[in-house]
Amino acid sequence: MDLVERRRELAELERLLDRAGAGSGAVLVVAGPPGSGRTALADAGAATAREQGFEVLRGTPAGGSPGRRVWAQLVRDAGGSDELAGRLLTEPEFSDLDAAAVALCSRPRRLIVVDDVDLGGPDAVALLALLAGRVVGRPVAVLATSGTPLGIGDEVWLGPLSPAGIGGVTGEERPEVRHALWVASRGLPGPARALAATIDAGAGGDPVVALALATASREGFLEVDTGLVGLLETALARVCDDATRARLEARLAHGMLGDTAAAARRRGLVEDALALARRSGDRAVLAEVLDARLHALWDPEGAPDRLAAAGEIVDLARASADLGLERRGLFWRFVALMELGRIGEAETALAAFEREARLAGDAAGTVMVGSRYAMLATVRGGFDEAQRLIDEVA
């Protein structure tokens, strides 16, 4: 199922192995976003190679390790000396990289697979480029996966599947659910499988509504994710209970922030969502709607209102034991206090946010805190401290 609608890519893998088997090696880079099936294709290539009598060597730059480390390990696996592998690791200006390439090409009918080569940084990519020139005329194939195109050897880009393909990957046969999965996953098989495993767990058992509530926008600031907006519109026609409708309307209003022609509708959606949330009596829903309202109805003059709403979000989130919403309220408090010029109080709010983010293991929140501390240092003229914090964030 992982290889649904990947016929062209599988044909490229077969072509790579055919060329190596005929004595004319090549490099194939399988590129695509996370969840597009890069690893599944690499697995398929390795399995086919073994069936055809190829020796398969495989490695990956794990955990942000230096790019040369994966190649050093592959050199050892290929029968190269420990001295050669050590020089590859320890000598930044190691000029005899050809020796490493020769070791990797030392045996016929060999497939070298490097997963996520781009994660190894420039060194890993540079060695792949070097190897691409050395396998020509040799019975050796190289298969690499990457999150971005590299411009090395032959490349295939793993684009999204069709709604039918997503149905094939997930086993989902209901047309409306299959289409919702396709929108929510952007057509990528990995996210689609993960979403399919959870869609019937909430939202009153309606999978379309559950997907509309769970799907995060992937557009940038002040851009409209039209797929998500459409999914939310579809979901709204399927619900009648106050709490769920409030959440959907609030999300829709937030999602339409980049549509300059939709200001009146955003306000209407948010106000209706707020009334429904208060009527539902669900404190977590009310906090979520208040948070969305602050995003959807941004008003440069509305800092006092934002400060009051932030306090209400924090109180509601604490009462409903929702730590994620509480952190969002704490951050809104910081933003509003900065807008009001109450910098000392804002720093105290930021420290509270930082404490909660660290306790929750919120890596993105922790990085964001560092950037805001750099901003505060700049405001106070502490430019050396600001630069230190900027470097730490980077």
Side-chain angles (χ1 to χ4, degrees):
M1 292 197 305
D2 288 337
L3 301 174
V4 167
E5 296 185 351
R6 297 303 189 204
R7 191 172 301 171
R8 177 180 67 91
E9 292 82 359
L10 288 169
E12 288 293 333
L13 289 175
E14 291 282 359
R15 180 169 170 270
L16 173 73
L17 295 175
D18 288 346
R19 290 176 62 182
S24 180
V27 170
L28 176 64
V29 177
V30 177
S36 58
R38 300 186 313 239
T39 301
L41 274 164
D43 290 344
T48 302
R50 291 189 184 97
E51 290 171 2
Q52 295 181 8
F54 281 76
E55 176 193 20
V56 177
L57 306 180
R58 191 165 185 172
T60 184
S65 63
R68 293 188 178 206
R69 186 172 299 167
V70 63
W71 291 110
Q73 184 58 54
L74 286 168
V75 164
R76 291 191 186 96
D77 294 343
S81 68
D82 287 341
E83 178 189 0
L84 177 59
R87 290 178 66 197
L88 192 60
L89 273 175
T90 59
E91 298 182 24
E93 303 302 325
F94 180 36
S95 57
D96 193 18
L97 294 177
D98 270 341
V102 168
L104 290 168
C105 297
S106 60
R107 289 186 57 181
R109 297 189 72 80
R110 172 180 281 166
L111 172 66
I112 300 167
V113 182
V114 187
D115 295 284
D116 300 319
V117 66
D118 54 321
L119 297 185
D123 275 354
V125 175
L127 282 164
L128 177 67
L130 176 72
L131 193 57
R134 298 300 178 268
V135 297
V136 176
R138 297 173 183 265
V140 176
V142 181
L143 173 61
T145 67
S146 172
T148 58
L150 301 177
I152 298 172
D154 298 320
E155 287 192 326
V156 292
W157 176 258
L158 299 183
L161 304 181
S162 69
I166 290 298
V169 165
T170 61
E172 179 56 63
E173 297 180 354
R174 294 167 289 182
E176 72 281 6
V177 181
R178 188 170 60 197
H179 188 270
L181 276 170
W182 177 73
V183 171
S185 66
R186 301 306 193 271
L188 299 177
R193 281 196 303 273
L195 287 165
T198 62
I199 54 176
D200 289 320
D206 189 313
V208 175
V209 174
L211 284 167
L213 290 172
T215 302
S217 174
R218 288 173 174 81
E219 299 298 335
F221 181 59
L222 294 183
E223 296 175 348
V224 178
D225 185 338
T226 54
L228 177 57
V229 167
L231 180 57
L232 288 164
E233 298 271 22
T234 300
L236 272 170
R238 300 168 69 98
V239 298
C240 56
D241 69 282
D242 289 348
T244 304
R245 189 168 190 84
R247 295 179 68 199
L248 288 168
E249 288 186 343
R251 290 208 78 205
L252 180 57
H254 185 181
M256 295 172 67
L257 178 60
D259 185 350
T260 55
R265 187 171 182 220
R266 284 201 315 273
R267 183 170 295 279
L269 284 166
V270 163
E271 297 308 327
D272 189 51
L274 189 58
L276 290 170
R278 293 194 187 280
R279 192 167 71 195
S280 75
D282 189 319
R283 290 175 292 197
V285 169
L286 179 54
E288 183 179 335
V289 170
L290 284 168
D291 177 68
R293 178 175 178 268
L294 289 176
H295 284 285
L297 300 182
W298 187 266
D299 173 9
E301 304 300 321
D305 176 63
R306 280 191 283 283
L307 183 58
E312 189 174 1
I313 291 171
V314 170
D315 291 342
L316 290 165
R318 286 173 178 169
S320 57
D322 190 325
L323 298 179
L325 268 174
E326 181 183 349
R327 289 197 301 280
R328 277 145 67 180
L330 289 170
F331 185 67
W332 277 117
R333 179 179 288 169
F334 163 74
V335 169
L337 288 167
M338 285 297 295
E339 291 178 303
L340 293 167
R342 293 156 60 177
I343 295 177
E345 294 174 74
E347 192 162 14
T348 300
L350 185 62
F353 177 92
E354 178 185 25
R355 182 178 61 254
E356 296 301 322
R358 290 191 184 280
L359 286 172
D362 180 356
T366 303
V367 170
M368 183 276 298
V369 165
S371 72
R372 296 309 191 273
Y373 277 136
M375 178 189 69
L376 287 166
T378 302
V379 167
R380 294 190 170 111
F383 302 121
D384 290 342
E385 174 66 4
Q387 188 60 58
R388 183 190 69 77
L389 287 165
I390 289 166
D391 292 342
E392 184 178 303
V393 168

